[in-house]
Amino acid sequence: MPNPTLPDGDAVTLPRARSHTPTTPTTTPAARAWWRDAVIYQIYVRSFRDTDGDGVGDLAGVREKLHHVRQLGADGVWLNPFYVSPQHDHGYDIADHCAVDPVYGDLAEFDRLVTDCRLLGLKLVLDVVPNHCSSDHPWFQKALANGPGSPERARFHFADGRGEGGQLPPNNWRAMFGGPAWSRVVEPDGRPGQWYLHLFTPEQPDFNWRHPDVAAHFEEVLRFWLDRGVDGFRIDVAAGLFKHPELPDSPDPDVDERTRDSVNPLAWNQPEVHGIWRRWRALCEEYTARDGRQRLLVGEASVPTPAEQALYVRPDELHQAFFFHLLHAPWDLAHFHRVIDDAVRDITATGSTVTWVLNNHDQVRTVSRFAGEGPATGPARARAAALLMLALPGAAYIYQGEEFGLPEVLDLPDELITDPIFHRTGSRTGIRDGCRIPLPWSGTEAPFGFSPSESPAAPWLPQPDSFAAHTAERQRADAGSVYHLYRTALQLRRELPQLGEGTLRWLETPPGVLTFVRGEGLVCAVNFGDTPAPAPVAGPPLLASGPCDGGVLPPATAAWWINSTSTDRSS
Ligand code: NOJ
């Protein structure tokens, strides 16, 4: 196939396809599946590229910049929700699961995107949000209109309140985004009535997954998008869905829900959820049996330990689940060592692969998260962490803008903050607007090519002037940029059989340095310390996250070497 010439004139060298030779004795078809060591680029559609000048990204913008993802070297894209939504939680409050919100485009544009992904050899993964919907969803509107005891209410968790006149919520659960997990409705006769459950905002009522209509509805939703050609789904709140059948009080209701994984054990991680993932897996396999194409189910299963997460990726359940422990890891060698070790042990034992994540649309960007002493520390650590993640066995996700080294924007004025967490808690703790600022593509001033230059509307969140140093244009022109680091690392991942799926063996190294070997002699070392350390391999590295000529590994630096005397024979 000839290399396509892309819109910005760059010819793309299409990387060789990976062989996917299994490195374990497993011979099931899943062992050869593309997702096992894929690198997926996460597109927050709202902030990726705006083509119609309304200040909000759109599907046409995704299509326009898809070549950027291809050139970077990712294997596919995951799109955050673009379905019909009143946008109380920027698309995680869905009013119609099978339609495109007009702000993002329409189904015809989506179909063109599917075609473009195919032409560029990119997998297309969509977000599916099964735990809750929008309060504008027709089912919820009918439930409100039809009153207590109606069949429509049974699809959600409606219950009478406690206390005199039912003025207290049915139990003491708290919502993830602040406040009680229950809101009271006004009944059709105008009187205060029942309460409904919402683990997030009141605009996101939770479905009752014990009602058969709910499972049937979501199977239709999956089929709708699979029939349009998608390659898989990222599943929102995959440890949610079912609640304890009696909805009892929580013994620990006052804990800050946002600071813990697997929050209220009565509302999360109920055993019945595994039955749903088995049904969804079977549905994906039905499609694979028809056309031979593997589909992916990757879950946002926030549970406390890798061992619990492993239950979600048993061979007949989800293919993968995001491993979030690196998202919460401080810049600390022992911490990284432990979470990597646990993940590789517990997840690989299931036959799945670890799905590494350093950043996403809910987390403080790595440059700012790892910022320690002095302005240079965060960027250097973020670069080193990226190289570390891309050397680990399994799959990896990269959130848009990380490849430009974007920092978190921390100084948005209160009146511009859109995150419901801020509006429900009155606190900036955990708010997510700062990692969702529209991407800078080109130029020296806002909107930095995010919107057309003559746009009637400004970007939905303001871009700081400092984004000028992080535009795609600037990054591409600078051989030492974060962009080129990612691009080279991804190219090596495709070319070197040691990278991607496989085993890992730790090597002894000086204090402060984490070192491991992958397959036949690919050594990765990261200096977590504050002082230079002797490099574990003589000579210049194949790739380093910062200046590193050999002999010495500077602080906050990661590097890869090929060394024939270091081999992981543990496989
Ligand atoms: C997790 C998503 O990543 C987040 O953005 C969203 O607000 C919640 N789930 C609720 O759907």
Side-chain angles (χ1 to χ4, degrees):
M1 180 178 163
N3 290 339
T5 298
L6 297 165
D8 65 357
D10 279 356
V12 183
T13 304
L14 291 179
R16 283 186 292 127
R18 295 190 69 92
S19 65
H20 294 298
T21 309
T23 50
T24 63
T26 326
T27 53
T28 61
R32 293 184 298 278
W34 60 268
W35 46 263
R36 297 186 68 82
D37 54 6
V39 175
I40 303 288
Y41 182 91
Q42 181 191 346
I43 296 184
Y44 195 73
V45 179
R46 200 174 172 79
S47 299
F48 192 63
R49 159 80 178 141
D50 161 31
T51 56
D52 58 7
D54 62 358
V56 174
D58 43 49
L59 292 181
V62 174
R63 290 184 60 220
E64 190 187 291
K65 296 290 183 191
L66 211 50
H67 63 284
H68 167 74
V69 181
R70 191 63 176 99
Q71 287 170 331
L72 193 64
D75 299 295
V77 291
W78 151 32
L79 304 188
N80 285 103
F82 51 79
Y83 318 109
V84 170
S85 162
Q87 307 289 329
H88 290 289
D89 189 21
H90 293 321
Y92 284 95
D93 49 322
I94 299 172
D96 184 346
H97 294 85
C98 296
V100 176
D101 194 293
V103 80
Y104 298 126
D106 54 25
L107 277 175
E109 192 64 37
F110 176 80
D111 290 341
R112 287 190 281 273
L113 174 62
V114 173
T115 305
D116 288 1
C117 286
R118 285 278 167 78
L119 287 173
L120 284 169
L122 292 169
K123 304 292 181 193
L124 178 57
V125 176
L126 302 191
D127 221 308
V128 59
V129 186
N131 180 70
H132 46 265
C133 60
S134 160
S135 48
D136 284 9
H137 192 286
W139 280 12
F140 191 73
Q141 286 298 316
K142 278 192 190 132
L144 290 181
N146 291 356
S150 64
E152 288 78 10
R153 285 215 173 170
R155 292 168 173 157
F156 298 90
H157 295 282
F158 277 87
D160 294 333
R162 299 195 287 197
E164 204 179 321
Q167 84 276 32
L168 297 173
N171 72 22
N172 66 356
W173 295 1
R174 311 285 300 165
M176 293 290 288
F177 292 169
W182 296 90
S183 290
R184 195 170 193 185
V185 303
V186 175
E187 298 297 359
D189 63 8
R191 283 188 295 190
Q194 288 195 300
W195 298 71
Y196 67 91
L197 180 70
H198 51 83
L199 292 185
F200 293 89
T201 69
E203 293 82 14
Q204 293 165 294
D206 279 41
F207 284 115
N208 172 14
W209 269 85
R210 290 193 177 81
H211 194 296
D213 283 1
V214 178
H217 169 65
F218 273 96
E219 289 184 19
E220 277 171 28
V221 171
L222 297 185
R223 286 183 192 282
F224 178 86
W225 294 107
L226 286 168
D227 289 343
R228 300 192 101 86
V230 307
D231 297 289
F233 300 96
R234 173 268 188 192
I235 303 167
D236 192 60
V237 188
L241 280 62
F242 288 85
K243 282 81 193 170
H244 187 290
E246 277 133 43
L247 304 174
D249 268 344
S250 162
D252 192 12
D254 294 326
V255 75
D256 179 351
E257 300 277 10
R258 285 169 297 125
T259 59
R260 294 196 343 191
D261 279 343
S262 183
V263 284
N264 175 354
L266 301 164
W268 297 82
N269 209 9
Q270 298 288 302
E272 294 96 322
V273 78
H274 295 285
I276 300 302
W277 305 145
R278 289 193 190 100
R279 284 175 66 167
W280 287 25
R281 177 74 174 246
L283 194 152
C284 286
E285 276 163 19
E286 178 194 317
Y287 276 77
T288 303
R290 278 191 218 161
D291 62 11
R293 284 172 48 218
Q294 291 272 348
R295 292 352 189 255
L296 165 67
L297 297 173
V298 55
E300 186 207 29
S302 295
V303 289
T305 62
E308 282 179 78
Q309 193 183 50
L311 299 176
Y312 284 79
V313 292
R314 287 176 286 193
D316 60 348
E317 296 198 30
L318 304 181
H319 302 88
Q320 293 180 317
F322 292 121
F323 180 72
F324 285 139
H325 290 65
L326 291 188
L327 275 178
H328 307 299
W331 185 251
D332 173 75
L333 181 148
H335 198 109
F336 269 73
H337 188 171
R338 182 169 49 75
V339 297
I340 292 169
D341 226 23
D342 289 352
V344 171
R345 184 193 58 236
D346 293 332
I347 305 299
T348 4
T350 64
S352 180
T353 50
V354 188
T355 307
W356 305 101
V357 186
L358 269 177
N359 36 68
N360 66 28
H361 64 294
D362 293 330
Q363 303 294 330
V364 173
R365 284 194 178 275
T366 42
V367 162
S368 308
R369 209 167 72 227
F370 290 139
E373 329 68 48
T377 326
R381 288 176 177 175
R383 292 173 67 118
L387 218 51
L388 165 63
M389 177 180 80
L390 293 173
L392 292 172
Y397 280 66
I398 299 170
Y399 177 48
Q400 67 178 40
E402 287 291 306
E403 78 281 25
F404 301 153
L406 288 182
E408 184 81 2
V409 174
L410 296 165
D411 58 358
L412 287 170
D414 284 2
E415 63 278 13
L416 295 184
I417 294 177
T418 67
D419 194 329
I421 294 177
F422 178 70
H423 297 290
R424 294 191 58 74
T425 63
S427 154
R428 286 179 176 248
T429 308
I431 66 166
R432 302 161 297 169
D433 297 73
C435 68
R436 298 174 176 180
I437 307 294
L439 286 193
W441 291 100
S442 57
T444 53
E445 56 189 41
F448 298 112
F450 168 69
S451 297
S453 43
E454 298 307 318
S455 289
W460 70 280
L461 284 173
Q463 301 156 301
D465 294 344
S466 61
F467 269 27
H470 297 277
T471 61
E473 187 179 54
R474 282 276 290 273
Q475 293 276 316
R476 285 207 190 104
D478 172 4
S481 67
V482 192
Y483 169 78
H484 283 290
L485 177 71
Y486 269 97
R487 192 175 174 184
T488 310
L490 293 182
Q491 191 178 336
L492 288 172
R493 244 181 101 97
R494 285 173 180 268
E495 287 170 357
L496 295 175
Q498 296 93 333
L499 292 169
E501 191 174 359
T503 55
L504 164 156
R505 182 168 59 89
W506 300 106
L507 296 180
E508 293 273 324
T509 34
V513 180
L514 185 74
T515 309
F516 55 87
V517 59
R518 301 288 323 277
E520 297 283 330
L522 187 291
V523 175
C524 172
V526 188
N527 185 351
F528 280 84
D530 296 327
T531 52
V537 178
L542 198 58
L543 180 63
S545 64
C548 177
D549 297 332
V552 164
L553 189 60
T557 304
W560 295 354
W561 292 262
I562 293 289
N563 176 30
S564 57
T565 60
S566 310
T567 291
D568 176 19
R569 300 196 191 285
S570 53
S571 56

